[in-house]
Amino acid sequence: MITINVMSGDTDTCSVHLDGAEQLINHMSIRKFKFSRKARALHRIYLYLRVLYESTATRTRTGAASRFSPSLSSHRAMGPHPTSLPQRLFLESEDSPSSMMPMEISSTITQEPVTEMAAYECIYGIPQSLLLLLKDAIEIIDMVDIERKKTDSATLSESLGSLCDKLENEILDWPLEERLAWCQEANKGMSAEIIHHQTRAFHNALIIYFSQNVRLLGYRYLRQYVHTILDSIEAIEKIKAETKILAAPLFWPAFIGATEAFEPSLQERFKQWYNNVSVYGIEAVRTGIQVVHEVWRRGPATNKRVKSSWRSIVESNGDSLMLT
């Protein structure tokens, strides 16, 4: 099993462990010319953990610089950029067999069969390109927050609005069915079904994540995406129950979907799902269920808000979530 552990019983330590993992990756990237398949898998897992953590973490960095390190920050990010990036980036911006190799190495040299690379492209059922869209959304939301705090208005400047429009189109137009087919080429049976539902749930959660934090859309406009998330996460648990697979779920899509579920019928389904997955023994602080219940207690947000309800709650409570 190739993995990275970022917890020591307390979610407050996640950022410390992630920083340590990134320092190790950067150090080895300077020394090594080529990464093994295991190393590339670890890089993907790091990306997955870092992005999922940052998606719910309160921004602590001051100024307009990206919260991500130069090797991960987006070309969209505003503020100062380093004059030169590290020579050996451990991440490229596209899903490709060479995406974990130094950028100067030709992909024709490092080409690997789809069956071997699928394990890296779809870490925990999430393609890298979808994770990178979430990372871009995190950075855009940071930029939106900074501007709204300065202007005390939900209206965005033309330049930032243009960036938001571009990213929104990329998220909405992300080729879900095409990417599902690509990942499923190397995965058959129940594994393929789980990847199918996991990716669909994650994509719809990403649409909600962007919409609730940038567009400030009301929950009624997001209902169809909430339904899709519920259908997918319920299907995953059904598959695992029928095949006796014991594996904890990915909580991020469920959490994002639940924060926009204000109809009693949808809330009951989410409650049942959280109850079903409680058998895995994951602490409530990690699942985000406490934040979800507070969102439901407060009810739908008003038109005067400048950020999503759950983010306001997380920031005011000082919560640290790790929804992996």
Side-chain angles (χ1 to χ4, degrees):
M1 176 65 179
I2 303 172
T3 189
I4 299 173
N5 183 22
V6 297
M7 290 188 62
S8 58
D10 186 351
T11 53
D12 290 337
T13 65
C14 289
S15 62
V16 176
H17 293 300
L18 286 168
D19 290 344
E22 183 171 349
Q23 289 173 10
L24 176 60
I25 289 172
N26 288 334
H27 176 71
M28 297 305 295
S29 297
I30 295 173
R31 297 177 54 198
K32 300 190 69 171
F33 181 74
K34 183 178 180 180
F35 296 116
S36 68
R37 286 188 294 136
K38 286 185 178 180
R40 280 177 277 164
L42 287 171
H43 291 172
R44 289 297 174 91
I45 294 171
Y46 166 77
L47 170 68
Y48 164 83
L49 294 172
R50 170 63 79 178
V51 172
L52 265 290
Y53 172 76
E54 294 293 348
S55 69
T56 56
T58 301
R59 177 184 170 90
T60 57
R61 179 174 295 185
T62 59
S66 171
R67 68 166 70 197
F68 294 100
S69 66
S71 56
L72 277 178
S73 60
S74 170
H75 62 279
R76 307 176 206 270
M78 298 175 67
H81 289 260
T83 55
S84 62
L85 294 176
Q87 288 186 340
R88 302 190 190 282
L89 298 178
F90 61 89
L91 179 67
E92 289 183 354
S93 60
E94 300 293 337
D95 280 319
S96 68
S98 63
S99 59
M100 276 301 156
M101 304 301 290
M103 292 184 70
E104 66 269 22
I105 297 179
S106 170
S107 61
T108 58
I109 298 176
T110 61
Q111 189 74 24
E112 296 185 37
V114 170
T115 54
E116 293 188 21
M117 283 308 301
Y120 313 136
E121 302 294 344
C122 300
I123 292 295
Y124 304 118
I126 311 301
Q128 178 190 275
S129 58
L130 200 53
L131 279 173
L132 291 174
L133 282 178
L134 173 56
K135 180 187 68 65
D136 284 352
I138 294 167
E139 292 185 298
I140 285 288
I141 291 168
D142 283 343
M143 293 156 60
V144 167
D145 286 346
I146 291 171
E147 183 166 303
R148 284 175 174 162
K149 187 175 182 180
K150 287 181 179 179
T151 63
D152 195 27
S153 170
T155 304
L156 301 177
S157 63
E158 183 177 349
S159 59
L160 182 52
S162 178
L163 286 176
C164 292
D165 291 343
K166 185 175 186 298
L167 179 57
E168 183 176 45
N169 288 334
E170 291 179 15
I171 292 173
L172 293 173
D173 295 339
W174 190 77
L176 176 62
E177 299 304 326
E178 177 185 321
R179 296 301 301 158
L180 286 175
W182 192 93
C183 282
Q184 289 174 341
E185 283 185 35
N187 298 277
K188 306 300 180 183
M190 293 302 100
S191 177
E193 286 295 312
I194 291 175
I195 287 176
H196 175 92
H197 291 296
Q198 193 80 287
T199 304
R200 187 179 298 279
F202 197 95
H203 181 230
N204 280 267
L206 176 56
I207 294 173
I208 293 176
Y209 182 78
F210 180 89
S211 300
Q212 66 183 182
N213 288 294
V214 175
R215 301 307 185 195
L216 303 177
L217 292 181
Y219 73 95
R220 292 183 179 87
Y221 296 98
L222 303 173
R223 184 183 290 124
Q224 62 175 313
Y225 306 113
V226 174
H227 274 282
T228 300
I229 292 170
L230 266 171
D231 290 343
S232 292
I233 62 177
E234 288 172 343
I236 291 172
E237 292 309 308
K238 182 180 179 182
I239 291 171
K240 290 194 292 185
E242 292 174 348
T243 56
K244 295 181 172 55
I245 296 175
L246 186 62
L250 171 58
F251 287 99
W252 192 81
F255 173 82
I256 297 299
T259 59
E260 294 296 339
F262 292 100
E263 292 93 339
S265 60
L266 293 178
Q267 291 181 357
E268 283 303 315
R269 288 176 66 185
F270 275 112
K271 289 177 183 177
Q272 185 61 51
W273 183 85
Y274 273 102
N275 182 64
N276 291 341
V277 300
S278 65
V279 298
Y280 299 109
I282 307 297
E283 292 292 334
V285 68
R286 278 203 58 198
T287 68
I289 188 61
Q290 295 167 334
V291 176
V292 168
H293 281 304
E294 179 60 19
V295 169
W296 290 347
R297 188 190 68 80
R298 296 186 182 187
T302 65
N303 294 330
K304 296 181 180 180
R305 66 189 175 106
V306 293
K307 64 178 62 176
S308 62
S309 297
W310 69 262
R311 289 181 62 218
S312 297
I313 294 169
V314 167
E315 290 176 9
S316 63
N317 292 345
D319 292 329
S320 294
L321 305 179
M322 190 65 191
L323 303 176
T324 54

